[in-house]
Amino acid sequence: NWRLVMAPDHVRRSVVAHEVAHLTHFDHSPAFHGLLGELYDGDLAQADARWFYQSTSSSSSISDTMARCMSRTSSESASMGS
């Protein structure tokens, strides 16, 4: 998913923890959420999946969003090289 690639690190980590928790619990039961809380070391409320919908407005096109991502990635790479 292109939105996941662009997500902040804490969001990506929460998605990975979510999917790993599904290897044990195939639902969203209290046991699932308990395991998720153990697996994810950050604030789950902050990493809520709603980030995906809040991060792009309906007037923003995919290409605009991708361009912002590429610009951010380029600037991060340049700062690592210096």
Side-chain angles (χ1 to χ4, degrees):
N1 184 309
W2 65 270
R3 288 181 180 159
L4 185 56
V5 171
M6 295 178 4
D9 183 58
H10 69 279
V11 173
R12 290 190 308 267
R13 288 190 340 262
S14 73
V15 171
V16 169
H18 181 105
E19 296 307 321
V20 169
H22 275 307
L23 296 173
T24 302
H25 301 284
F26 303 108
D27 55 16
H28 291 114
S29 65
F32 166 85
H33 286 285
L35 179 57
L36 178 58
E38 291 176 30
L39 293 171
Y40 183 65
D41 60 351
D43 180 2
L44 284 168
Q46 182 184 7
D48 191 312
R50 286 179 286 185
W51 175 87
F52 292 117
Y53 302 105
Q54 294 168 352
S55 65
T56 58
S57 68
S58 58
S59 62
S60 174
S61 70
I62 291 174
S63 60
D64 290 341
T65 305
M66 292 299 288
R68 284 194 305 273
C69 176
M70 295 305 292
S71 173
R72 183 180 71 197
T73 303
S74 296
S75 64
E76 288 172 358
S77 296
S79 67
M80 283 190 239
S82 43

